[in-house]
Amino acid sequence: MNPPRASHTPREMAHETLDPSNVARLADPAAVRTWLRQLDALDRRVAAFLDRLGRPPHERLAAELEATWGEAPDYVHRTLRARDHSRLEVFYLSGRVDANLVANNVVQPLLAAGSFRGWDAGGLPLDAVRLAPSPDAISAALVEGRVVLGPAGDGGYVAVAAAGPPHRTVEEPKVAQVVHGPHTGFVEDLGVNLALLRHYVRSPLLAVESLRLGRASPTRVLVVRLLGVSRPAVAALVRRRLRRLAAAGVVDSSRLMGPLGAHALVPTVQYSERPDQVAAALFAGRVAVLVETSPAVLLVPTTLAHLLSAPGDYYQPAVSASVVRLLRYAGTVVAVLLPALFVGISTVNQPLMPLPLLLSFVRSRLTIPFSIAVETFLMQVAFDLVYEAGLQVPSAFGQTVSVVGALVVGQAAVMAGIVSAPTLIAVAFAYLAQLLVPDQNLAMVLRVLRYATLVAAAVFGLIGVTAAFALFVTWGATLSPYGAVYLSPLAPLRRWSVRDALLRAPWGRRRRPAAAR
């Protein structure tokens, strides 16, 4: 027998109880227990409502906060009593505030006053903000790391800044280390990151706009630009795209790459953990996005030239930095095209090979059971597997494991007669050339393009490789995130700007990039 329908009001419950059709149900023990539980819950709700109705407003507010935060182990609610028996309520989250700051700059000055009547936060040595006496406003202040005090003389509450969340010490990021230059990096604290940025950009023209993103967990996001240098249209587009974000919360800045317009294949939003690199980007007219919980700062607009330049380029002489930058561009082309060129020449376009090289190549393949395209594909997969495995190893050994492990696996495959030595050489050179790329997102894109060109070479030979490369260049020249052509200043060619893209222009002869003008 089914239990009676749950009632919502005492009138409905009484009406159902007196209904003759329900009398028979009372003979069922399960139905009786269900009715008793419903009546007990109703009795508790009525008692709680009458209890709150008879309390003062500040006690009702404290009870509502206790119902919201009471189960949280870091929620602290203290009642301070002065010598004249006046009371003051103190609320905070222990993990979000500095305990010494609360004790020395909040509790002790309040107790020394002797009375809380007509109390005001003007005597505290900390920044204070007025709050409406509502649970939502107080809860929002608690999660921000503020200490809430009240009621004040006017019946409101005051949120005192005493945030002290745990964060890392400022140190050089492991993904962009330099020999010469600053050895500082961003951390997971937004206040520290903004202070580091202002250390390099000491100007009142540094505009900082604060946004809150996330429905369930509002996260503070800063849009930073340099007035008079960056384009206002870019900053407006960034704000508009961020405000359209529909998410419960923002855990890391990488979650904002999609809303900011990041392309599905190529990286059109650059990330950096170095304050000096972000400051240089602001001086060049770009816009930075800082997230409260992330050490990575997002930079827009982003072009291929930005991704192929490293912070260490500007701490070296112009000639040596230019040579290194040219090697990066050459390594980008080699990482994408070398395996495909090897497959195209050795399968479809064999007459292009010199006769001694062709004979040596044929001798090395006498015992290989696979075709050239298949063994090249297998070696690329093996190198990528070893590379991904190296990422899971601690950073001190990850790079060594990736390089040495890939070469050991390749040598073992050659000795076992699974692949030929020329194939190992071509794939290994492409893998080493990929390591020249400073941006990890771009390096991942090169791996995808390498597989695409390999398929084109296996089917159409050098014609397929040429067509694929031309397609990549044409597509990159038509891609323009935030109004900046992705291959600028190489395509379209701007002679003055190319001096600090393909090369590293000497100081005093540099102009703002064309992508930011």
Side-chain angles (χ1 to χ4, degrees):
M1 185 178 296
N2 296 328
R5 180 181 61 87
S7 300
H8 300 286
T9 64
R11 182 183 297 274
E12 291 180 0
M13 293 183 65
H15 183 73
E16 286 190 359
T17 303
L18 298 177
D19 190 353
S21 61
N22 291 329
V23 174
R25 297 183 182 180
L26 296 178
D28 184 14
V32 172
R33 287 194 296 269
T34 301
W35 274 92
L36 291 176
R37 285 196 298 267
Q38 292 175 352
L39 290 173
D40 184 60
L42 177 63
D43 180 68
R44 289 196 301 269
R45 289 199 297 268
V46 172
F49 174 75
L50 294 176
D51 182 63
R52 290 196 300 268
L53 191 62
R55 292 183 183 181
H58 66 276
E59 291 187 6
R60 293 201 301 269
L61 182 60
E64 293 179 4
L65 290 174
E66 188 70 25
T68 303
W69 294 94
E71 298 296 330
D74 57 345
Y75 172 69
V76 178
H77 173 207
R78 295 180 57 186
T79 301
L80 303 181
R81 291 179 173 83
R83 289 190 293 269
D84 61 349
H85 303 291
S86 56
R87 302 172 58 182
L88 186 69
E89 308 294 334
V90 181
F91 308 91
Y92 62 91
L93 299 179
S94 59
R96 294 285 296 166
V97 300
D98 187 344
N100 295 327
L101 198 63
V102 173
N104 298 330
N105 295 340
V106 177
V107 177
Q108 289 184 3
L110 290 175
L111 293 177
S115 176
F116 298 139
R117 303 184 191 279
W119 170 82
D120 188 85
L124 294 179
L126 297 174
D127 179 31
V129 177
R130 293 283 179 179
L131 292 179
S134 67
D136 293 338
I138 294 178
S139 297
L142 293 180
V143 297
E144 288 182 358
R146 292 179 175 270
V147 179
V148 178
L149 309 170
D154 56 359
Y157 282 75
V158 175
V160 179
H167 59 80
R168 294 184 295 118
T169 58
V170 176
E171 58 185 6
E172 186 175 16
K174 296 181 175 59
V175 295
Q177 296 182 349
V178 296
V179 178
H180 304 287
H183 297 279
T184 58
F186 291 120
V187 296
E188 289 79 5
D189 187 272
L190 189 60
V192 175
N193 293 344
L194 186 57
L196 288 173
L197 192 57
R198 288 193 182 277
H199 177 71
Y200 290 93
V201 186
R202 305 182 183 184
S203 171
L205 297 179
L206 184 66
V208 181
E209 182 178 356
S210 179
L211 304 175
R212 289 195 176 275
L213 305 180
R215 299 187 307 270
S217 175
T219 303
R220 203 149 53 111
V221 177
L222 301 183
V223 179
V224 184
R225 67 189 184 98
L226 202 59
L227 297 178
V229 179
S230 64
R231 290 185 295 170
V234 174
L237 182 58
V238 169
R239 292 192 298 269
R240 188 162 59 251
R241 289 180 174 179
L242 289 178
R243 289 194 177 105
R244 289 203 302 259
L245 176 66
V250 180
V251 179
D252 186 75
S253 60
S254 59
R255 307 292 180 93
L256 299 180
M257 285 188 173
L260 286 175
H263 198 273
L265 178 60
V266 296
T268 56
V269 179
Q270 186 183 13
Y271 70 92
S272 174
E273 296 185 19
R274 297 188 59 91
D276 55 333
Q277 186 178 16
V278 175
L282 294 176
F283 292 142
R286 302 170 72 188
V287 177
V289 178
L290 286 74
V291 180
E292 189 172 11
T293 56
S294 175
V297 176
L298 305 181
L299 298 171
V300 293
T302 296
T303 64
L304 182 65
H306 294 139
L307 301 176
L308 289 177
S309 63
D313 294 348
Y314 297 98
Y315 303 119
Q316 300 178 14
V319 175
S320 59
S322 298
V323 172
V324 173
R325 190 169 288 184
L326 286 173
L327 285 176
R328 290 199 198 103
Y329 278 90
T332 301
V333 176
V334 169
V336 175
L337 299 183
L338 182 59
L341 291 174
F342 169 75
V343 172
I345 293 177
S346 58
T347 55
V348 182
N349 303 98
Q350 286 188 356
L352 296 179
M353 299 178 63
L355 182 60
L357 180 60
L358 180 61
L359 294 176
S360 175
F361 179 73
V362 171
R363 283 196 299 268
S364 66
R365 294 195 45 79
L366 292 177
T367 60
I368 305 302
F370 303 108
S371 64
I372 298 176
V374 171
E375 67 172 334
T376 304
F377 177 81
L378 293 177
M379 284 305 303
Q380 284 193 178
V381 172
F383 271 64
D384 287 339
L385 289 176
V386 175
Y387 176 79
E388 291 297 330
L391 295 179
Q392 308 303 322
V393 180
S395 58
F397 308 99
Q399 194 83 352
T400 303
V401 170
S402 298
V403 177
V404 177
L407 295 179
V408 170
V409 170
Q411 181 63 24
V414 171
M415 295 179 64
I418 300 176
V419 298
S420 61
T423 303
L424 174 61
I425 294 173
V427 176
F429 264 104
Y431 175 76
L432 294 176
Q434 174 188 309
L435 298 180
L436 292 174
V437 179
D439 188 87
Q440 295 300 317
N441 290 335
L442 181 59
M444 295 296 179
V445 172
L446 298 184
R447 292 164 60 181
V448 176
L449 297 181
R450 189 158 61 234
Y451 284 102
T453 55
L454 181 61
V455 173
V459 178
F460 302 105
L462 292 184
I463 296 178
V465 177
T466 304
F469 184 72
L471 179 63
F472 297 154
V473 173
T474 304
W475 175 60
T478 57
L479 190 63
S480 57
Y482 293 93
V485 180
Y486 195 68
L487 297 184
S488 175
L490 301 177
L493 182 63
R494 294 182 174 91
R495 291 184 301 171
W496 186 270
S497 297
V498 79
R499 299 180 62 186
D500 198 50
L502 193 61
L503 305 175
R504 208 279 273 172
W507 293 110
R509 298 184 181 180
R510 302 175 64 239
R511 289 184 180 179
R512 192 164 47 137
R517 293 202 295 266

